[in-house]
């Protein structure tokens, strides 16, 4: 890098000397706009001439130039700036670091590469972009910053991350998650342990050419995280503090109020007496009034203290009595929300170095309180990087980091009563959080404190539970010790001192991630789930230790216009996981330990080992900075597979052509750079899953030893042997076009990719009656193809006023090409994996509206009938309304019919849920959006900076099971969505919501498929940098204050819906994502 | 310096490219062993047998959700009881078993969380496990008597599994002998084993009968090694149940006569169905504290004092059945009582038959009970009656009943006539035997299986104590030909078995659904 700078500046000095026009003398300094430091060796050319000079080590320059001329300032890694002289003797400029700079070096597998020479596809996220998001887990900051990357919103539980998919879902039973690499070594730690502030860049390797050197495990792309390292110069001390306030970023569902709830329950009871028991209307009304108290839990829970349950509804109208006033109208979700969910983060970083030694270290502290009461995340992190040049030919460096994280969360999920998100969502507003007395006022205890109502007085729902009280009285805390070390040593290099070995180097890298996790869960003995056992305390202790060690021999030389690189290496990866669990009931109240509990001890432990050995090589050559070729090869042996099938071969070839360097482009001055790239490669995936757990031993038949029968050892068969199971392969084509035009004004990148996953790791379906649902095998294939476009416009780049905008749009089209060959589809719940369709296509009954006469939900159903023209009972009318099913005309007689029989199909409407269940339809698509993308801008007006980022996704469907349950309520005491008010009530009503029932037979129908399109304002940031002339007096290099809004707004089709809950398109009763509004201070000394 | 460099380079190259030990890439789990090592000796085979028994009663291993109603044989018997008319689930509670009770499970066959998947997976997992043991019979080294005991147990589990699976996935044996039942597998499963078509009731029950006979032969007089194991008494008990369902009354009679000798049918007021070592128990599971659990178990659903599911959803006897007991019947006081609930309502006759030994310590004192001697005595009475041996039938019933109701006497009854509906009373001796069976085995035998084999129909009324939501008037529970009580086959089966034919989702067959053997696809082309 430095060499290159020197080369260019010398060149420009020479050019400058060659010209001898004499005008006026102009002096000034060129500064880096981000650091405020002088830019050494920047070149200054008088526009339209050959006159030029360069800055000195401090960024100062002197030049003779025409008074009305324009100076053009350029420096490697910065955006070009034109500045008119206008007769000034002093012209100071500041240059912006340029993310799109042609010779920017990017992090690639086993090294770095100049962007211009890169033949693959990658997206880089710089620390400035990450810093604009207020996130505790860096995976949440990636959304909208790299084309082709889809993320979930992630749980709002502080510390939790988001899932990332690069270019679609690549596998069915193996993982579709990318490989995370931190400082060159695959990362097995907890991403939440990484302080986002320590990250210099995140590079997303998208295609085969970019990631093939990671062969094994790289099929779903690679996310490379590079931490900040020191640079030569005086020590820089950075202190940053932010304080934020959090709230829900996804709105709550609109639910009915107490009055509506009571009226609806009465109406549902009335309907059930008519529909189920055949009562007439008047009798049903009477019975409903009589039954209301029992259905809702007795008079204790009647908030209408001037009425009893059987009189509170006027049976003739079904409405609440006009003078019935509720003593309370509870909103549980509101009570559960922490209104002071404050997030505080403090960082201190020091970096610097001299020519030989460079260092960076940082400390971070984060205290993140969740929007759900009691939940929180804390992180203390330390990181240190040191690089040292021992001799000309011997470099070494090491980095170490430690993070302690503490998380307090709610461990419940989905429809568990203990899950506050579920219980509060459905708890009707007539059930108070706090105990009430007969007059409807809060019943206080002896100390004048509020008391939780645990539903012990007949509440039909969640008896023994109180979502608010349980969060305080129970505990689920996770502590993690995260250590990572990375070390390298490198011998040799492209130095003359190497003599005949010039260009040859040998380097070795070692990295280890060690995570100790300690979980305590405690259920109090008085309320909630612990009641039945006298409480329970569980302890989990897990230890993950993984290391990677590689040795790489490299030869790299430049001969005139020809540059050559050859690399060969060996790598060994070892992963070790240990699990220990113990549990005891009959706790000592309030003590979260096993020792004082008196129940029997239940314990368990196991270990897993996973290893990969690899050999790899790379050849790269380029000529005249115009033609680039690269080929890689890697072979991996995975311990997951049986020996003969263990080794997978992975490779890639890529080429790029800088069209703009060609002679014929010489006159196209508006083209700064134009590069065409093409690559193909094959990658592997061995990341098999069994349920939610990794399957490290896929090929063997096992007996699971965890089935003792009383005190007799016992085992059951748990898997079938398939020694043939081996690597899943993914071959990807990538075509890219990248151009920079009009002196960096416009930068565009377009890419098309087409990848085929083959030998797909699939649980080969077996008839369940064989005792197994399937066995792991390599079958089938799946295609992902898509288009990505990024357009960046640098609107303004004059001096202190700058503006740029970036628009990204991309789409992925997934298609299952082939499954087992025996069965063209695999059904999984409401979704279908079927040949020819996108993975996880919706497959549900199709609703046909509500019957205006009966109020019943109608569905479309289809039937097949055999008809024969020669038969006496040939039904011409039926055939006329049917469609003929091709190739079903029987030609000759046999046992199953006679010649001339033909099968016809027809559709009809029915309210029979059985027939509707048998008549599911495809064609709703899947979660996959039509397209998605982001739009963001950055502005700098002198000391003020402003930026925003928005994301959008158009098309696709989400199956909103939360909404469905709020419309088809299963239990008395569960409340409804406000949309239920549209229900059918009397013959003649035309509506889309059927007659009201509680616990009706409900089936999966398209009523609950909601358009998943959304538009989100992800972040807005406003900053102000104090003028240097003030701050320097007190020894501060720069001081910036800023305000950030993160996850600000989400616009969806349905309030409450989180369209980014997961990748397959579901929703659940889960921790809602959060919005953070924060203020911050950033000081450099 | 060059020398140092050269030396370092050479050393490093040597180090790095020396291949790693090949063995390092062979890794194994720590909680499982490879299948081919299991059957070398009786120790391993016994482990496979005990694991199968554990699976039989282990909760929550057959589905991907709704675990709390998947609780082994007692749970399935509770489900089958709830499908009848004698057992009242007073409220929805947390929802467990409510969908069974309300016949709202058949349309849920595509999910891996509901009964279709649960029960199909349960029985066929048991069958697959014992098929490996049976297949390995020749290779197990050790005491031949012990080998026979293990393999005999495997045959008995297979017989039991096929019979019970057939009882829920097909219509009654009697009257539908040659209608479609379930597929039969007698060979071990390997990767790629293909699915088989449904056999008929006749074929499936012949298999079950052959298996249980083989089991009885192999087990011989070997003593029961654990209460969960099957000895000659239990094996004969299973045989009696199978034969009774098939209407083979002589076989049922003779087998029950052997089985009843294995335990006592005397009444014990203090027995609360939580101790498998009780003198009346032939077969059950011993639940030790570390294998016990709290909520997802049978007694948690039954015992309201526990404060959980049994409280939120009271388990009660129908008033109709309760009223059939005389005032002197001890069971009427020991097992049920009228309770007034917190909301002021009365919910039928709350059960006290099944209780934890200590509801505060539910992990022990909650054994599972699979078979008791009174059932065998009742089978003797019923089959003797049907075989025109009324004297023996009356003696058998009186012997059982005199310990329960001192004033009991059925001597003046005669005949075998049963009503079309279970509430249509005929006053026959057979009806009385069945009535005592309904009372004695309430909550533990799967009432719907009896309704099916007796070819009766039934109604539920609010007067019996059934909630209005559970009357099921839109179904055809009064018709023994209906498919309402025949479970649908899970979608997971169809995904990989081209021969499979679905049962009707509705009450009656239509189109390509039903148990007509003509519907089975016969050709499989690839």
């Amino acid at each position: 890098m430095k060499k290159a700078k020197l080369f260019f500046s010398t060149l420009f000095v020479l050019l400058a000397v060659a010209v001898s026009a004499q005008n006026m003398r102009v002096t000034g300094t060129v500064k880096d706009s981000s650091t405020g430091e002088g830019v050494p060796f920047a070149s200054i050319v008088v526009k339209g001439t050959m006159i030029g000079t360069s800055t000195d080590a401090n960024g100062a320059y002197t030049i003779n130039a025409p008074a009305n001329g324009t100076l053009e300032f350029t420096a490697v890694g910065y955006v070009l700036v034109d500045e008119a002289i206008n007769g000034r003797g002093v012209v100071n400029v500041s240059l912006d670091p340029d993310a799109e700079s042609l010779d920017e070096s990017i992090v690639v597998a086993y090294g770095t590469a100049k962007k211009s020479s890169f033949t693959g596809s990658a997206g880089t996220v710089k620390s400035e972009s990450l810093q604009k998001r207020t996130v505790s887990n860096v995976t949440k900051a990636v959304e909208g910053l790299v084309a082709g990357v889809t993320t979930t919103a992630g749980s709002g539980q502080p510390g939790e991350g988001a899932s990332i998919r690069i270019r679609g879902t690549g596998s069915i039973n193996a993982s579709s998650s990318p490989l995370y690499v931190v400082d060159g070594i695959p990362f097995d730690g907890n991403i939440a342990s990484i302080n986002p502030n320590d990250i210099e860049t995140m590079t997303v390797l998208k295609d085969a050419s970019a990631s093939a050197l990671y062969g094994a495990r790289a099929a779903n792309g690679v996310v490379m995280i590079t931490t900040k390292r020191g640079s030569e110069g005086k020590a820089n001390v950075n202190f940053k503090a932010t304080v934020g306030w959090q709230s829900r970023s996804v709105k709550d569902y609109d639910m009915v109020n107490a009055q509506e709830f009571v009226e609806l329950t009465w109406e549902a009871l009335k309907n059930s007496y008519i529909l189920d028991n055949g009562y007439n209307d008047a009798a049903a009304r009477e019975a409903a009034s009589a039954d209301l108290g029992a259905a809702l839990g007795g008079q204790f829970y009647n908030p209408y203290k001037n009425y009893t349950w059987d009189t509170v509804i006027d049976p003739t109208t079904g409405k609440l009595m006009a003078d019935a006033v509720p003593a309370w109208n509870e909103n549980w979700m509101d009570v559960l929300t922490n209104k002071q969910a404050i997030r505080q983060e403090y960082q201190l970083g020091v970096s610097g170095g001299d020519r030989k030694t460079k260092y960076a270290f940082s400390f971070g502290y984060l205290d993140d309180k969740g929007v759900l009461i009691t939940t929180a995340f804390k992180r203390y992190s330390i990181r240190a990087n040191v690089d040292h040049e021992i001799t000309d030919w011997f470099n070494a460096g090491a980095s170490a980091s430690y993070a302690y994280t503490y998380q307090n969360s709610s461990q419940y999920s989905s429809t568990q009563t203990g899950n506050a998100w579920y219980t509060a969502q459905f708890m009707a507003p007539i059930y108070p959080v706090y105990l009430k007395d007969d007059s409807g006022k809060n019943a206080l205890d002896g100390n004048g404190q509020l008391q939780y109502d645990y539903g012990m007085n007949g509440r039909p729902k969640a008896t023994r539970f109180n979502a608010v009280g349980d969060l305080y009285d129970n505990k689920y805390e996770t502590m993690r010790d995260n250590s990572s070390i990375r070390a390298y040593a490198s011998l040799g290099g492209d130095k003359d001192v190497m003599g005949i070995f010039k260009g040859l180097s040998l380097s070795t890298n070692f990295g280890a991630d060690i995570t100790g996790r300690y979980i305590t869960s405690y259920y109090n003995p008085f309320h909630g789930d612990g009641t039945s056992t006298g409480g329970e305390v569980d302890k989990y202790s897990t230890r993950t230790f993984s290391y990677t060690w590689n040795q790489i021999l490299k030869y790299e030389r430049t001969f005139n216009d020809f540059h050559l690189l050859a690399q060969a290496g060996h790598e060994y990866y070892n992963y070790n996981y240990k699990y220990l669990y113990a549990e005891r009931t009959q706790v000592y109240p309030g003590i979260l330990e096993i020792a004082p509990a008196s129940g029997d001890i239940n314990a368990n432990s196991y270990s897993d080992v996973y290893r990969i050995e690899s050999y790899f090589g790379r050849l790269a050559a380029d000529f005249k900075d115009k033609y680039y070729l690269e080929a890689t090869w890697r072979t991996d042996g995975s311990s997951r597979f049986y020996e003969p099938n263990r080794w997978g071969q992975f490779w890639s070839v890529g080429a790029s052509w800088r069209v703009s360097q060609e002679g014929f482009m010489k006159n196209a001055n508006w083209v700064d750079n134009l590069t065409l790239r093409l690559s193909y490669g094959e990658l592997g995936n061995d990341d098999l899953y069994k349920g939610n757990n990794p399957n490290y031993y896929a090929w063997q038949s096992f007996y699971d030893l965890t089935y003792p029968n009383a005190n007799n050892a016992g085992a059951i068969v748990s898997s079938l042997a398939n020694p043939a199971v081996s690597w899943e392969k993914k071959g990807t084509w990538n075509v890219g076009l990248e151009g920079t035009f009009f002196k960096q004004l416009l930068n565009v990148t377009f890419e098309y990719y087409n990848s085929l996953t083959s030998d797909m790791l699939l649980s080969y379906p077996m008839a369940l009656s064989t005792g197994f649902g399937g066995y792991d095998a390599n079958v089938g294939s799946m295609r992902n193809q898509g288009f990505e476009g990024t357009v960046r416009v640098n609107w303004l780049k004059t001096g202190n006023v700058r503006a740029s905008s970036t628009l990204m749009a991309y789409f992925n089209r997934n298609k299952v090409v082939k499954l087992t060959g025996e069965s063209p589809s695999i059904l999984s719940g409401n979704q279908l994996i079927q040949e020819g369709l996108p993975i996880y296509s919706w497959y549900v009954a199709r609703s046909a509206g509500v019957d205006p006469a009966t109020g019943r939900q109608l569905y479309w159903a289809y039937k097949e009938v055999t008809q024969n023209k020669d038969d006496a009972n040939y039904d011409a009318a039926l055939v006329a309304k049917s469609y003929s099913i091709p190739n079903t005309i029987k030609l000759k007689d046999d046992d199953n019919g006679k010649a001339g029989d033909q099968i016809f199909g027809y559709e009809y409407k029915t309210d029979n849920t059985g027939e509707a269940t048998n008549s599911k339809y495809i064609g709703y698509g899947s979660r996959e959006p039509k397209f998605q993308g982001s739009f963001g801008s950055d502005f700098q007006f002198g000391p003020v900076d402003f930026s925003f980022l928005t994301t959008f996704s158009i098309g696709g469907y989400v199956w909103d099971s939360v909404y469905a349950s709020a419309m088809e309520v299963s239990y008395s005491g569960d409340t409804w969505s406000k949309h239920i008010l549209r229900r059918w009530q009397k013959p003649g009503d035309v509506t889309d919501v059927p007659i009201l029932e509680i616990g009706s037979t409900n089936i999966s129908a398209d009523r609950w498929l909601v358009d998943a399109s959304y538009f989100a304002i992800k972040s807005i940031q406003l900053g102000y940098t104090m003028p240097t002339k003030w701050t320097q007096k007190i020894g501060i290099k720069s001081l910036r204050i800023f305000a950030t809004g993160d996850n600000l707004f989400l616009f969806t089709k349905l309030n409450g819906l989180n369209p980014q809950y997961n990748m397959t398109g579901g929703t659940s009763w889960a921790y809602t994502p959060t919005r953070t509004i924060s203020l911050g201070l950033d000081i450099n000394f | 310096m060059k020398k140092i460099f050269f030396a370092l380079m050479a050393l490093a190259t040597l180090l790095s490219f020396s291949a790693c030990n090949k063995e390092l890439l062979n890794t194994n789990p720590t909680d499982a062993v490879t299948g081919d090592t299991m059957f070398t000796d009786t120790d391993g085979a016994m482990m496979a047998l005990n694991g199968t028994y554990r699976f039989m009663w282990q909760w929550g291993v057959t589905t991907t959700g709704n675990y709390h109603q998947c609780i082994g044989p007692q749970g399935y018997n509770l489900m089958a009881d709830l499908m009848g008319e004698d057992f009242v689930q007073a409220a929805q509670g947390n929802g467990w078993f409510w969908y069974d009770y309300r016949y709202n499970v058949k349309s849920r066959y595509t999910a891996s969380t509901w009964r279709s998947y649960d029960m199909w997976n349960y029985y066929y997992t048991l069958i697959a496990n014992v098929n490996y043991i049976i297949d390995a019979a020749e290779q197990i080294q050790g005491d031949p008597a012990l080998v026979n005991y293990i393999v005999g147990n495997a045959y008995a589990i297979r017989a039991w599994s096929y019979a019970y699976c057939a009882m829920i996935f097909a219509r009654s044996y009697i009257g539908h002998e040659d209608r479609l039942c379930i597929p039969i597998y007698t060979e071990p499963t390997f990767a790629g084993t293909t699915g088989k078509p449904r056999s008929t009731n006749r074929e499936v029950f012949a298999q079950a009968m052959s298996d249980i006979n083989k089991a009885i032969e192999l087990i011989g007089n070997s003593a029961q090694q654990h209460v969960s194991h099957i000895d000659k008494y239990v094996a004969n008990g299973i045989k009696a149940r199978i034969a009774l369902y098939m209407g083979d009354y002589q076989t049922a009679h003779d087998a029950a006569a052997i089985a009843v000798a294995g335990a006592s049918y005397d009444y014990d007021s203090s027995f609360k169905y939580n101790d498998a070592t009780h003198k009346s128990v032939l077969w059950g599971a011993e639940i030790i504290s570390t294998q016990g659990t709290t909520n997802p178990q049978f007694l948690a659903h039954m015992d309201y004092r526990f404060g959980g599911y049994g409280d939120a959803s009271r388990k009660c006897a129908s008033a109709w059945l309760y009223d059939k007991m005389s005032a002197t019947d001890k069971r009427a006081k020991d097992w049920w009582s009228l309770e007034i609930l917190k909301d002021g309502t009365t919910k039928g006759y709350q059960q006290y038959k099944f209780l934890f030994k200590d509801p505060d310590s539910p992990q022990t004192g909650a054994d599972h009970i699979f078979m008791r001697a009174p059932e065998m005595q009742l089978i003797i009475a019923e089959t003797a009656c049907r075989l025109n041996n009324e004297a023996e039938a009356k003696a058998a019933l009186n012997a059982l009943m005199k310990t329960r109701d001192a004033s009991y006497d059925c001597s003046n009854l005669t005949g075998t006539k049963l009503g079309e509906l279970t509430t249509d009373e005929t006053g026959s001796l057979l009806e009385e035997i069945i009535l005592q069976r309904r009372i004695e085995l309430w909550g533990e035998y799967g009432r719907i299986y009896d309704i099916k084999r007796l070819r009766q129909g039934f109604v539920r009324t609010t007067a019996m104590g059934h909630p209005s939501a559970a009357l099921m008037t839109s179904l055809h529970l009064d018709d023994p030909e209906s498919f309402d009580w025949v479970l649908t086959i899970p979608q997971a089966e169809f995904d990989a078995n081209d021969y499979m034919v679905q049962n009707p989702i509705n009450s009656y067959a239509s189109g390509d659904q039903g148990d007509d053997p003509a519907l089975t696809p016969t050709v499989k082309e690839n």
Side-chain angles (χ1 to χ4, degrees), chain A residues 179 212-219 612 614 634 636 650 684-686 727:
Chain A
L179 174 71
L213 261 197
Y214 284 114
R217 305 182 289 163
I612 295 179
S614 320
R634 176 166 173 136
D636 291 277
F650 312 109
N685 190 352
D686 70 343
W727 292 89

Side-chain angles (χ1 to χ4, degrees), chain A residues 276-277 393 464 532-533 551 600 607 611 643 646 700-701 703 708-710 715 768-770 827 918 970 999, chain B residues 1 16 22 24 26 30 33-35 47 54 92 109 185 189 228 289 291 294 306-307 468 473 491 493 513:
Chain A
D276 298 337
N277 298 357
W393 47 269
R464 294 179 290 133
S532 50
T533 54
Q551 308 85 29
D600 288 293
S607 317
R611 300 191 177 104
E643 204 176 337
R646 179 171 285 163
Q700 298 175 77
S701 150
Y703 264 80
N709 179 25
L768 195 57
S769 55
T770 60
L827 193 63
N918 279 335
S970 298
Chain B
M1 187 198 70
S16 51
K22 235 161 77 170
L24 285 174
N26 294 332
T30 53
V33 291
T34 52
M47 212 192 259
R54 173 66 187 272
Q92 184 173 16
Y109 67 91
Y185 301 83
T189 301
S228 62
S289 64
Q291 291 163 21
T294 54
F306 180 58
S468 62
T473 47
Q491 178 64 36
E493 181 70 22
Q513 297 175 356

Side-chain angles (χ1 to χ4, degrees), chain A residues 968-971 997-1002, chain B residues 92 98-99 102 104:
Chain A
E968 288 179 333
V969 159
S970 298
Y971 301 89
E997 286 179 280
I998 294 173
S1000 60
T1001 305
N1002 45 50
Chain B
Q92 184 173 16
W98 182 251
Y99 293 79
R102 296 186 66 233
N104 189 354

Side-chain angles (χ1 to χ4, degrees), chain A residues 272-273 275-277 293-294 297-298 393-394 417 456-458 460 463-464 491-492 497-499 501 504-506 529 532-534 549 551 553 568-570 572 583 585-586 600-602 606-613 615 637-639 641 643 646-647 696-697 700-717 720-722 765-772 775 821-823 825-827 829 896 912-915 917-918 920 970-972 998-1003, chain B residues 1-2 4-6 8-9 12-13 15-20 22-35 38-39 46-48 50-55 57-58 61 92-95 99 102 104 107-110 117 120-121 124-125 128-129 132 183 185 189-196 226 228-229 286 288-291 294-295 306-309 312 342-343 345 359-364 462 468-469 471 473 490-493 495-498 505-506 513 518 524 526:
Chain A
S272 86
Y273 277 104
L275 298 171
D276 298 337
N277 298 357
W393 47 269
F394 189 12
T417 311
M456 303 305 288
N457 296 292
T463 314
R464 294 179 290 133
L491 291 165
V497 68
M498 305 288 303
F501 296 113
L504 189 67
S505 67
L506 177 75
D529 273 331
S532 50
T533 54
W549 185 36
Q551 308 85 29
L553 196 59
H570 166 257
Y572 181 69
E583 166 237 301
T585 57
Q586 314 283 356
D600 288 293
I601 290 180
N602 201 348
Y606 64 85
S607 317
D608 279 317
V609 179
Y610 168 42
R611 300 191 177 104
I612 295 179
E613 187 172 17
Y615 298 90
S638 167
S639 68
F641 304 129
E643 204 176 337
R646 179 171 285 163
W647 292 87
Y696 296 113
Y697 322 98
Q700 298 175 77
S701 150
F702 282 115
Y703 264 80
D704 181 341
L705 299 172
T706 61
Y707 280 79
N709 179 25
N711 291 311
N712 310 300
I716 64 160
V717 63
L720 293 172
N722 179 19
M766 283 172 66
L768 195 57
S769 55
T770 60
F772 294 85
Y775 64 95
E822 286 170 20
S823 174
S825 62
I826 302 168
L827 193 63
N896 294 325
N912 184 312
T913 50
E915 286 167 34
T917 304
N918 279 335
K920 293 184 181 176
S970 298
Y971 301 89
S972 276
I998 294 173
S1000 60
T1001 305
N1002 45 50
I1003 62 167
Chain B
M1 187 198 70
K2 252 187 211 170
I4 306 171
F5 173 75
F6 193 75
L8 278 171
M9 199 86 165
T13 312
L15 256 174
S16 51
F17 289 92
S18 59
C20 289
K22 235 161 77 170
E23 271 304 301
L24 285 174
L25 293 182
N26 294 332
T27 60
N28 279 299
T30 53
D31 53 359
V33 291
T34 52
M38 280 305 284
F39 296 110
M46 185 59 98
M47 212 192 259
N50 272 309
T52 308
Y53 280 122
R54 173 66 187 272
F55 182 89
W57 60 261
Q58 172 63 37
V61 287
Q92 184 173 16
N94 296 64
Y99 293 79
R102 296 186 66 233
N104 189 354
S107 66
R108 301 173 192 269
Y109 67 91
T110 60
Y117 188 94
W120 192 261
N121 190 24
Y124 278 110
T125 301
N129 271 279
Y132 288 106
Y185 301 83
T189 301
F190 297 104
T193 297
T194 50
K196 292 192 174 171
H226 186 258
S228 62
H229 290 192
E286 176 197 7
I288 62 173
S289 64
T290 52
Q291 291 163 21
T294 54
N295 263 324
F306 180 58
Y309 302 151
K342 278 180 184 142
D343 61 13
T345 55
D360 293 330
S361 179
Q363 275 143 320
T364 53
T462 46
S468 62
L471 300 185
T473 47
Q491 178 64 36
E493 181 70 22
D495 285 344
N497 187 349
D498 293 348
I505 289 181
N506 297 314
Q513 297 175 356
K524 184 168 185 174
N526 274 317

Side-chain angles (χ1 to χ4, degrees), chain A residues 94 96 795-804 937-948 1021-1027 1040:
Chain A
S94 56
D96 292 346
W795 304 107
L796 283 168
K797 48 183 182 190
T798 335
N800 282 333
V801 181
R802 299 194 307 272
S804 67
S937 293
D938 295 288
F939 304 93
Q940 173 95 45
F941 308 102
V944 178
D945 61 87
F946 174 75
S947 66
F948 69 86
Q1021 190 170 56
L1022 181 65
Y1024 176 75
T1025 306
M1026 297 280 178
R1040 178 170 171 265

Side-chain angles (χ1 to χ4, degrees), chain A residues 501-635:
Chain A
F501 296 113
K502 185 179 176 187
L504 189 67
S505 67
L506 177 75
S507 60
T508 181
N509 297 279
F510 178 83
D513 298 308
I514 309 115
T515 305
R517 187 174 63 149
Y518 184 81
I519 299 174
T520 300
S521 67
Y522 168 84
Y523 305 84
N524 79 83
F526 309 113
H527 304 287
D529 273 331
T531 329
S532 50
T533 54
E536 182 179 314
V537 58
D538 303 349
K539 297 274 179 181
Y540 302 82
S541 175
T542 65
R543 180 181 190 269
T544 308
F545 172 66
S546 79
Y547 70 84
T548 301
W549 185 36
N550 64 39
Q551 308 85 29
I552 301 163
L553 196 59
K554 183 168 118 177
Y555 181 72
E556 184 170 16
R557 285 289 300 274
T558 303
F559 307 96
N560 301 324
D561 286 337
F562 185 70
H563 170 252
L564 174 76
L565 183 151
Q567 234 179 342
H570 166 257
E571 186 169 274
Y572 181 69
Y573 167 77
N574 183 90
Y575 171 89
N576 197 317
Y577 177 76
K578 294 199 179 301
Y579 173 91
L580 174 66
Y581 162 78
E583 166 237 301
R584 210 166 181 186
T585 57
Q586 314 283 356
V587 301
Y588 186 90
I591 297 188
L592 277 58
E593 297 295 344
I594 285 185
S598 55
D600 288 293
I601 290 180
N602 201 348
N604 184 20
S605 78
Y606 64 85
S607 317
D608 279 317
V609 179
Y610 168 42
R611 300 191 177 104
I612 295 179
E613 187 172 17
S614 320
Y615 298 90
F616 55 89
R618 163 155 66 173
L619 263 179
D622 59 68
F623 182 63
K624 283 195 163 176
D625 285 343
K626 230 190 294 188
Y627 310 108
Y628 301 84
L629 275 174
E630 182 171 11
T632 64
W633 164 83
R634 176 166 173 136
T635 181

